[in-house]
Amino acid sequence: MSLYSRIMRDSDRGLLASHGISVREFDVLITLFNAPDHCLRMSEPAQRVMLSPSGLTRLVERLERAHMVERQNDTTDGRSFRAVLTDQGLQRLDQARTTHNGIIRGHFTDRLSEEELRELAAIWRKVLLDEC
Amino acid sequence: MSLYSRIMRDSDRGLLASHGISVREFDVLITLFNAPDHCLRMSEPAQRVMLSPSGLTRLVERLERAHMVERQNDTTDGRSFRAVLTDQGLQRLDQARTTHNGIIRGHFTDRLSEEELRELAAIWRKVLLDEC
DNA sequence: TAAGATTGATAAGTCAATCTTA
DNA sequence: TAAGATTGACTTATCAATCTTA
């Protein structure tokens, strides 16, 4: 708990200081980036990011005000919306990724051997995939 | 980030549902439990728990209202207070630990081999200790 | 009626400013 | 003056209730 709290806090502070993006906003942007067409239904990233539906609504509102995301109607379901990463959002994300990669490198990559990194990756994958 | 978020969310919900304690409150209680005499200066657990000074003040206020912690004057420094785990706090913590252990077991212990658990422990220890 | 998403009320955290003692 | 701790203003999350469409 200490280790992960520290990494999340450092990521949050680093991203806020350099790019004005919280680590949760970063996580949603990354999730959009990895989605087909950089686009997801509102309810989908909530699962991955561990945010309640209302929490996601408000986070996307902020990203929309900051012109990083747009909300579009879902043509196949009138109840639903899609969040789409804008060009500006993509640029901000690219910059933020550099900062975030540096922080992760400082905590893990620089401190562990290649062997340990492989072990850690395998363990994370196993725990994560088992649960999905 | 996904894995960590999920474990913290599950711990938080599990502890709140069964014991009315958030995972951060649990973390502070554990920190007090591990301290000599179950007692720490206000500023000390903030470091470990990744909480701002004001955040810790408010969290300890809640624990005090719930009779799990008491605030005592520090005899050696008039500016400072000590948070002490009460008997009731110790009991609640003991119960909560059972719940928390179950959650951690569900995520890690049950899913990984003994070999993997040893590797993970070694990696965590290495990353944590390097940073202190 | 149920599902996707949002809104209002509330909880809990942060930063900046403040109070008290060293 | 600095350090330990707290308070006020604000941000961001949650839950429960609500609105709209399936």
Side-chain angles (χ1 to χ4, degrees), chain B residues 2 52 57:
Chain B
S2 295
S52 67
T57 293

Side-chain angles (χ1 to χ4, degrees), chain A residues 67-82:
Chain A
H67 308 291
M68 290 188 273
V69 154
E70 279 175 6
R71 241 193 314 236
Q72 299 179 344
N73 289 316
D74 184 333
T75 51
T76 66
D77 187 337
R79 296 169 302 184
S80 186
F81 292 90
R82 292 177 172 282

Side-chain angles (χ1 to χ4, degrees), chain B residues 56-83:
Chain B
L56 185 69
T57 293
R58 282 161 176 154
L59 193 154
V60 169
E61 268 170 23
R62 291 200 301 276
L63 293 178
E64 211 173 9
R65 276 200 298 275
H67 309 292
M68 290 189 272
V69 154
E70 278 174 8
R71 242 191 316 235
Q72 298 179 345
N73 289 316
D74 184 333
T75 51
T76 67
D77 186 337
R79 296 170 301 184
S80 186
F81 292 90
R82 293 176 171 281

